[in-house]
Amino acid sequence: MDKNNIKKQNVYISEEEKTLNWDEIQNSFKKTFGSEIYTSWLQKIYLVKEYNDYLILGVPTRFFRDWIVSRYLDKILEQVKSFKLSLNRIEFKIIEETKSTSDLIKINELNKVTEIKDSILNYNRLNPNLNFDNFIQGESNDIALSYSKKVCEHISRYNPLYICGGVGLGKTHLLNAIGLELQSENNVMFISAERFMYHFIKSIKKNDMVNFKDFFRKSSVFIIDDIQFIRGKESLQEEFFHTFNSLMDKGSQIVISADRTPMKLDRVQERIKSRLAGGLVVDIDSPDLELKVKIIKKRILETENQFKENINLNDDVINYIANESKTNIRELIGILNRVIAFGRVHNKILTTSDCKNILKDIFSQIKVITVDKIQNVVSNYFNIPLSEMLSQRRSRPLARPRQIAMFLSKKMTTRSLPEIGRRFANRDHTTVIHAVKTITRLSEQDDEMKKNINQIKSLLLE
Ligand code: ADP
Ligand code: MG
């Protein structure tokens, strides 16, 4: 691509086709995202071509694209839609770095020269409130908890330690607890994979890879959260692989978390997967009732101590909250906090029927879940193309996810059976009924199915 074309951003759009004013859109980005994010990211996006229902935007690098897609795509689409309603998709085109973009980077650097070290220290402090003392043991997490503690007693015996489990089940809490435990005697590095990528890109832009490598390879305990973020990001994987190897060579302890097992990390290089699986893999499951009740009680005590107040929640109410929150502990705590806040404001002892009313609010979020969204999340979760999932093919690897998506559409939206059938490539409502029955039965009998459903639900409610 010719450099000059990039500056003349409208060059690909014939005059009569053109309806968008990119400068205007950029202004709205600035308002929505704030000037820091805007200058680092949004400002560098060019309009390459405009179609009736989608846009092609130019970005300088693949990392840049990955970053934008993972963090800002929804909002960007929402913004451009407010200028042209017919748009429903954005594609990115990578346009080799040109003088103009590197100039921009230079300007940025002048504004904000931060050493990797400083910014990492700012963003990756361990949270003193997430420690072993307040991590409550239950059947679903006891193996993960006990090996996390063993790692602290005996560095690099289990290397890497890989902790996996669904959203909000305590992975970050455990990683953080390990970091706190080890930090006095070790050089602990605790970072999310997303942040790791941020520093990686930044160092590339600043031509400062030497420092980047040094910095991360120096640690004797390297803890990286949510490694699934590297999926599909080739160069990041390359860098991670080398960092990983050089840390292992040195005998540093590595601790990793992810939302799935190493082998289920699709779009991740095989050699990385086998390294990740090469130490000890432990998983955290959904909490049972007993653990949920314990966590609620502990939280109540903590809140009472912190605010020097009496929180009056009887066992019925506690059980009610524990039962209502099926999917994860973060949600459980969120619900509890709402109930406590309500009790405070109305200054009364709450009953389960008060709780029902409070929670109605929270669960009414469910209304915004659409069949489309369910289909997308399910096909992503099982890593099959949406078109295949909706197709007429009946092979089990397609049929099960399809049935799960129908089941969830019935449970989580207000759509009728015939409406759901229509959304699944015009199937009959009896097919939907069959799917709902099958998945209901399987999720009662089959642990794997139960787990899948719970994980998908939490993805949908996230
Ligand atoms: P994840 O990283 O798996 O998404 P987090 O570690 O962020 O989940 O946990 C979500 C919330 O639940 C945090 O506030 C965490 O402190 C709390 N939590 C999770 N498991 C436990 C536990 N066993 N005991 C106490 N709190 C927990
Ligand atoms: Mg986490």
Side-chain angles (χ1 to χ4, degrees), residues 172 225-226 330:
T172 302
D225 203 3
D226 291 322
R330 185 175 305 139

Side-chain angles (χ1 to χ4, degrees), residues 47 93 99 126 139 195 223 301 314:
L47 178 58
K93 197 177 175 100
K99 273 222 176 77
L126 291 161
E139 218 176 290
R195 222 47 228 174
I223 305 174
L301 272 182
N314 61 35

Side-chain angles (χ1 to χ4, degrees), residues 9-20 49-50:
Q9 37 188 269
N10 292 335
V11 77
Y12 295 103
I13 304 168
S14 70
E15 277 311 311
E16 66 272 24
E17 256 183 307
K18 195 181 114 185
T19 61
L20 285 175
K49 192 157 169 69
E50 176 187 341

